[in-house]
Amino acid sequence: MGNENERPPEPENWGTWIIQQVIHPLSVFLPPAILLVLIAYFVLAAFGEGFYPGIRSFAAVLFPLSVVTFAFIFARGWLARLVAFSPTTSFLLSSLVGLLVMAVIRFSARGSTVPISELVLSASFSLLVFSHASLQGSRVSAYSYGMLSGMMLYIIVLGFPGLR
């Protein structure tokens, strides 16, 4: 016989489940994925303009990736200290970066020989990947949440920046 005062186990909170199993993983995955899609778009568009602009665009993408990868392999401690802010500061700074990335895409000089958009997108992508590879806990997520928030806020207020 069971205890009459014993209650059946409470069902799992579905709101908590959605946040932990769906929204959080998406919020961490989406910023680098969005940046990667935009990078591919700009590189392909540059190759559509010709071989030389395509090579410049591709090089602009590889440069930040190689610098951050070098720092990850050979100077990880220095780079980790550079981005090791509190979660709130990380969120606020990366929100600002997200806003600036979208502004650069909108206002980068069309026809310029320097592929600024590609440099900024790749640098942002590289730093997000580095933070996920090097930092732990809430600081990692704060960068992704901030970047996503900044990008979405820009789109809400100013619309999606016109692409090439």
Side-chain angles (χ1 to χ4, degrees):
M1 294 191 149
N3 185 349
E4 291 180 24
N5 294 333
E6 192 175 311
R7 294 182 182 180
E10 296 211 13
E12 186 174 325
N13 182 328
W14 62 268
T16 302
W17 184 88
I18 287 175
I19 288 171
Q20 292 175 340
Q21 302 300 319
V22 178
I23 296 172
H24 176 69
L26 276 175
S27 296
V28 171
F29 172 76
L30 279 177
I34 291 168
L35 291 170
L36 200 55
V37 167
L38 289 172
I39 288 168
Y41 172 82
F42 277 99
V43 170
L44 291 173
F47 273 108
E49 295 171 11
F51 184 72
Y52 184 70
I55 292 296
R56 287 189 81 154
S57 178
F58 188 65
V61 169
L62 288 180
F63 177 69
L65 290 170
S66 64
V67 169
V68 172
T69 301
F70 173 83
F72 179 78
I73 300 297
F74 297 106
R76 185 182 302 189
W78 173 81
L79 197 53
R81 283 190 303 277
L82 181 67
V83 296
F85 300 108
S86 73
T88 301
T89 303
S90 301
F91 175 82
L92 293 173
L93 287 174
S94 57
S95 292
L96 180 60
V97 169
L99 283 166
L100 292 174
V101 165
M102 298 307 270
V104 165
I105 292 171
R106 177 172 295 233
F107 298 112
S108 64
R110 302 282 185 238
S112 170
T113 57
V114 178
I116 300 296
S117 295
E118 290 89 325
L119 280 168
V120 170
L121 289 167
S122 181
S124 301
F125 175 81
S126 299
L127 289 175
L128 279 176
V129 170
F130 170 79
S131 70
H132 284 275
S134 297
L135 302 175
Q136 299 297 320
S138 59
R139 282 191 282 165
V140 173
S141 299
Y143 284 104
S144 290
Y145 278 102
M147 181 76 73
L148 184 61
S149 296
M151 293 169 84
M152 295 303 109
L153 182 61
Y154 186 94
I155 292 170
I156 290 166
V157 174
L158 299 169
F160 197 82
L163 300 177
R164 292 181 185 168

